[in-house]
Amino acid sequence: MKTLLATFPLLILILCPTATGATSPVTLVDDAGYTLKLDSPAKRIVSLAPHVTELVYAAGAGSRLVGAVQYSTYPEAAKKLPLVGGYTRFDAETILSLKPDLVIGWVSGNPKEQVERLRQLGLKIFLTQPDQIDDVARNIDQIGILAGTSAIARTESARFRNRHKTMAIRYATQPPVRVFYQVWKNPLMTIGGQQIISNVLTLCGGKNIFAQFGTLAPRVTEEAVLAENPEVIIASGMDESRPEWLEDWRRWASMTAVSRNNLFYIPPELIQRHTPRLLDGAEKVCQYLEQVRRTSSAISGLTEGRLGD
């Protein structure tokens, strides 16, 4: 399915690409493989994920949002939207009361059975699954098509793609740095190679030490982390403050990340949401890894100097 979607990311049968409120029908295939048909661009949209809410605004369709899930906090206007529950447990009756002509959800984040319940109630559903950085721009373009705001969406997606390309060129030749990204403490969770944060690490010249896992958020053990001996540990937690458990690693003084004080924090809204701000989080990751490379180079220089003596 992924190959098909990559080959035909915007399967458009009939489309009006302008943002002038035209009423031409629209047909798109979403990231779950479903074909969505709208008689005209959506005017009343409900978002089932915080990152989707932000993408709708990025696509120039924020004024068409009539409801969103909890933690839809960006941009500021999103905080005023009626809430329809959380992304893992939304209220179908509340959604129906808002009379949306389009509901945009999240393949891996929204419970499948709840999404199917909305379909059975007659709602039009479009699901996103941005696993790679480039998918953020693609989803913006798709939402612009669905909402009839393609001109604005294309401008935003082009800006995102250009920034991504610039960063990729800048860090393409940097020495690799081995990274453990911690999602949670209990259970201890990290990211697999198909998770978008792993894509961010790669962009910055980082190497996800658990990239071999196919699941998005695999559980691991402390022993497995110690055996891999990462040069860097990055965490973001669930709120705006540095998670306390990031400091728990200091008891393992022999680990390279600890001995060199390479324990870093990224605000979750910048790294755990699939939005244009993901590149803000990526910039922070890249800066941290550059700092690590400079430190490693200095240590290597001192070691070689001592050996020369």
Side-chain angles (χ1 to χ4, degrees), residues 32-92:
Y34 289 95
T35 299
L36 172 68
K37 298 181 180 181
L38 298 177
D39 293 334
S40 61
K43 294 181 174 60
R44 297 181 63 81
I45 301 173
V46 167
S47 164
L48 298 184
H51 78 270
V52 168
T53 302
E54 190 170 336
L55 289 176
V56 173
Y57 279 99
S63 63
R64 305 190 179 199
L65 277 169
V66 295
V69 292
Q70 293 173 334
Y71 305 112
S72 293
T73 56
Y74 189 90
E76 190 67 24
K79 298 178 180 179
K80 300 177 182 179
L81 292 170
L83 296 180
V84 299
Y87 68 86
T88 60
R89 189 177 180 83
F90 36 85
D91 189 316

Side-chain angles (χ1 to χ4, degrees), residues 83-106:
L83 296 180
V84 299
Y87 68 86
T88 60
R89 189 177 180 83
F90 36 85
D91 189 316
E93 291 185 4
T94 300
I95 293 173
L96 283 172
S97 72
L98 296 172
K99 299 180 179 179
D101 49 17
L102 176 63
V103 177
I104 304 179
W106 179 18

Side-chain angles (χ1 to χ4, degrees), residues 100-222:
D101 49 17
L102 176 63
V103 177
I104 304 179
W106 179 18
V107 174
S108 64
N110 298 145
K112 185 176 181 179
E113 63 278 6
Q114 292 188 44
V115 172
E116 288 306 311
R117 169 65 174 156
L118 295 182
R119 289 189 199 278
Q120 293 169 5
L121 291 172
L123 294 175
K124 299 285 188 177
I125 311 292
F126 187 87
L127 297 176
T128 65
Q129 184 58 38
D131 291 329
Q132 302 293 312
I133 295 174
D134 288 339
D135 290 339
V136 172
R138 179 176 58 81
N139 284 162
I140 291 173
D141 285 334
Q142 289 175 318
I143 293 171
I145 290 168
L146 294 170
T149 58
S150 285
I152 297 173
R154 285 196 299 266
T155 298
E156 181 61 32
S157 65
R159 182 183 298 114
F160 183 89
R161 288 187 176 101
N162 288 337
R163 185 182 178 192
H164 181 204
K165 181 179 179 180
T166 298
M167 292 178 67
I169 293 172
R170 178 178 178 183
Y171 297 105
T173 59
Q174 295 301 308
V177 177
R178 302 179 71 256
V179 181
F180 170 59
Y181 186 93
Q182 184 173 354
V183 174
W184 200 245
K185 176 185 178 180
N186 190 16
L188 184 58
M189 299 173 68
T190 186
I191 51 172
Q194 300 304 310
Q195 221 276 356
I196 197 169
I197 300 173
S198 189
N199 198 203
V200 169
L201 298 182
T202 301
L203 171 67
C204 298
K207 182 179 180 181
N208 175 8
I209 63 171
F210 292 115
Q212 73 272 20
F213 287 105
T215 54
L216 295 178
R219 296 184 181 186
V220 294
T221 63
E222 281 191 345

Side-chain angles (χ1 to χ4, degrees), residues 10-37:
L10 300 177
L11 184 59
I12 308 167
L13 304 182
I14 305 176
L15 166 67
C16 175
T18 66
T20 58
T23 58
S24 298
V26 178
T27 301
L28 285 180
V29 175
D30 70 10
D31 288 353
Y34 289 95
T35 299
L36 172 68
K37 298 181 180 181

